[in-house]
């Protein structure tokens, strides 16, 4: 396992400046993963608008905006999307559990 330093052990000046988030795949921080149930989704786009990382993706089909996948490389697993979804289409699951399911 990689030996990562804790924030207090980092030298002053280690914190990256603003505007660099696209270069840093912050999704590795999360311990929970939002799992989207496409069948339940009514494409209200509330999660899209509320996600603080802007990692819920969408596309326009026949003039209507549709929610698509979640960019997990940047998702921090905060759970806001699951909280705001009016139809319970997003469930927060343990990242380790999801990783195991994806390997099957
Ligand atoms: S868990 Fe947080 S960061 Fe991840 S998609 Fe949902 S709102 Fe965005
Ligand atoms: S908030 Fe729920 S219903 Fe609305 S777009 Fe997101 S997943 Fe779909």
């Amino acid at each position: 396992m990689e030996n990562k330093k804790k924030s207090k052990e980092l030298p002053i000046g280690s914190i990256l400046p603003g505007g660099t988030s696209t270069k840093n795949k912050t999704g590795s921080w999360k311990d929970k993963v939002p799992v989207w149930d496409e069948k339940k989704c009514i494409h209200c786009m509330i999660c899209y608008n509320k996600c603080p990382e802007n990692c819920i993706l969408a596309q326009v089909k026949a003039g209507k905006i549709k929610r698509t996948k979640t960019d997990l490389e940047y998702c921090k697993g905060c759970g806001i999307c699951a909280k705001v979804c009016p139809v319970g289409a997003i469930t927060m699951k343990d990242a380790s559990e999801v990783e195991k399911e994806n390997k099957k």
Side-chain angles (χ1 to χ4, degrees):
M1 197 171 139
E2 195 180 325
N3 188 16
K4 289 184 182 173
K5 286 186 177 178
K6 292 183 180 150
S7 61
K8 287 186 179 166
E9 296 170 326
L10 293 170
I12 291 170
S14 303
I15 307 300
L16 296 167
T20 57
S21 60
T22 55
K23 293 180 197 154
N24 300 290
K25 304 223 163 143
T26 50
S28 62
W29 299 356
K30 65 183 166 297
D31 61 356
K32 295 278 184 189
V33 174
V35 177
W36 176 50
D37 184 340
E38 191 172 356
K39 287 182 195 139
K40 282 189 187 172
C41 180
I42 56 172
H43 300 280
C44 66
M45 306 313 289
I46 295 173
C47 60
Y48 176 87
N49 288 317
K50 297 290 182 185
C51 172
E53 302 308 323
N54 203 22
C55 57
I56 292 176
L57 307 179
Q59 66 181 48
V60 176
K61 270 189 190 169
K64 286 188 177 173
I65 190 162
K66 296 266 186 191
R67 188 216 137 113
T68 58
K69 62 180 187 171
T70 308
D71 188 342
L72 295 176
E73 291 196 321
Y74 297 99
C75 166
K76 293 187 178 118
C78 66
I80 291 173
C81 54
K83 280 231 177 210
V84 297
C85 177
V87 293
I90 303 170
T91 308
M92 298 306 292
K93 289 193 173 178
D94 284 342
S96 55
E97 190 187 323
V98 173
E99 200 177 314
K100 271 186 214 159
E101 283 172 16
N102 291 342
K103 280 182 184 168
K104 284 180 190 170

